Amino acid sequence: MEQYREVLMLLRTAGLKSTAPRRALLAALMRAARPLSIANVLKELGRASVDTVTAYRALRAFEKAGLVRRVDLGHRHAHYELVGAQGDRHHVVCLSCGTTEPFEGCDAAHLVKEALAQVRGFRTVTGHSLALYGLCNTCAVVNK
Amino acid sequence: MEQYREVLMLLRTAGLKSTAPRRALLAALMRAARPLSIANVLKELGRASVDTVTAYRALRAFEKAGLVRRVDLGHRHAHYELVGAQGDRHHVVCLSCGTTEPFEGCDAAHLVKEALAQVRGFRTVTGHSLALYGLCNTCAVVNK
DNA sequence: GTGAATGCAAAAACTTTGCATACGC
DNA sequence: GCGTATGCAAAGTTTTTGCATTCAC
């Protein structure tokens, strides 16, 4: 149990209770290092089975605490990924097979400035989401 | 019926059959000039009632034909907006009341270039989605 | 001990599928 | 007339809610 301390630390720092399901969920996200759907998180747990409802509630709590980030990949369900040391992280999504790959640097500050100059009803922007869609190299070949 | 000709033209150009439900759906999106959820589209129809299933199928067909665009506003259901003459259009979304306001110009070309330089598994990017989240001026006041 | 987290059951919300009928081209 | 679009019913997914029990602090 090497991850144990790391995961526990994360929860402590975020001011969240450390429970077995939460530790398992966080550990799974940590191992994955890419956005996982709730269903996938549960699948990645292995022996430590966690109720679906608990996963929904825990991930929402994590999100509110800033531990994880909800990313929208254009599928019709949420994906979550750990918020790491890295800055803004976004994804390229394959429209054919769903594969994703992360990239960084979207110049959010500039984007927000630009947007706020155009809209009248907003002055506060606290977050953003971005995804690029295309074909991964494998699917690009298959689809000729 | 002034919109009739305009809507019909859109459908013709897209190579889609012109039917009453489709014309009504398109007209609603046109009047709204902002992203609508399926439920909202149906509500906006007025007397011309359309079955939910038909709306789903029609909007998907419109999307494939490039007439409308699916936008992700972080709610847990899809929103659609008409693809107009304008270029890339994105939205600022209020996290409190859900109000949205559009803005343009996200320098997609630059973004894509940046991303492709970082990922190994992709060479083709065909689209993207972007949303900014914050508090609209009204909610910013209420939330003190 | 106390309040929050969990799990189960059930429901709500959103979306898709199958099939017979109606309608645009 | 042919083939697609529609509407209804039904089912499939994803997410939320209620409540009694368990557990972290």
Side-chain angles (χ1 to χ4, degrees), chain A residues 2-99:
Chain A
E2 170 53 292
Q3 291 187 314
Y4 184 90
R5 303 195 72 81
E6 194 171 352
V7 171
L8 191 148
M9 192 88 85
L10 275 176
L11 288 167
R12 276 275 165 67
T13 310
L16 294 172
K17 272 188 192 171
S18 165
T19 68
R22 288 181 172 185
R23 288 191 298 270
L25 292 169
L26 268 188
L29 285 177
M30 195 173 286
R31 282 195 301 276
R34 63 168 60 210
L36 294 180
S37 65
I38 300 260
N40 277 325
V41 178
L42 294 176
K43 213 170 291 171
E44 296 298 329
L45 290 182
R47 52 181 58 263
S49 110
V50 170
D51 191 83
T52 309
V53 176
T54 301
Y56 273 96
R57 292 196 270 228
L59 286 170
R60 183 187 293 181
F62 295 169
E63 188 190 10
K64 188 181 287 185
L67 278 183
V68 306
R69 171 192 303 149
R70 199 167 104 196
V71 294
D72 229 322
L73 300 180
H75 309 167
R76 53 227 73 241
H77 50 264
H79 288 240
Y80 289 90
E81 73 174 353
L82 216 54
V83 171
Q86 89 279 153
D88 267 339
R89 164 175 284 194
H90 302 292
H91 296 85
V92 193
V93 184
C94 178
L95 291 171
S96 176
C97 71
T99 303

Side-chain angles (χ1 to χ4, degrees), chain A residues 92 101-104 132, chain B residues 109-123 125:
Chain A
V92 193
E101 209 170 320
F103 69 91
E104 290 180 23
L132 302 183
Chain B
H110 181 258
L111 261 174
V112 170
K113 192 177 157 192
E114 182 101 5
L116 286 182
Q118 286 184 47
V119 300
R120 304 138 286 154
F122 286 80
R123 284 200 178 184
V125 170

Side-chain angles (χ1 to χ4, degrees), chain A residues 105-124:
Chain A
C106 70
D107 202 358
H110 181 258
L111 262 175
V112 169
K113 193 176 159 192
E114 182 101 4
L116 287 182
Q118 287 184 47
V119 302
R120 302 138 286 154
F122 285 80
R123 285 202 180 183
T124 319

Side-chain angles (χ1 to χ4, degrees), chain B residues 17 19 21-22 49-51 53-54 57-58 76:
Chain B
K17 272 188 192 172
T19 68
R22 289 180 171 186
S49 110
V50 170
D51 190 83
V53 176
T54 301
R57 291 197 268 229
R76 54 228 76 241

Side-chain angles (χ1 to χ4, degrees), chain B residues 61-83:
Chain B
F62 294 170
E63 188 190 10
K64 188 181 287 189
L67 277 182
V68 306
R69 171 192 303 150
R70 199 166 103 194
V71 294
D72 229 322
L73 300 181
H75 310 168
R76 54 228 76 241
H77 51 265
H79 289 240
Y80 290 90
E81 74 173 353
L82 218 54
V83 171

Side-chain angles (χ1 to χ4, degrees), chain B residues 96-138:
Chain B
S96 175
C97 70
T99 304
T100 73
E101 208 170 321
F103 68 92
E104 290 180 24
C106 69
D107 201 357
H110 181 258
L111 261 174
V112 170
K113 192 177 157 192
E114 182 101 5
L116 286 182
Q118 286 184 47
V119 300
R120 304 138 286 154
F122 286 80
R123 284 200 178 184
T124 320
V125 170
T126 56
H128 65 281
S129 78
L130 168 68
L132 301 183
Y133 301 104
L135 289 176
C136 73
N137 292 341
T138 307

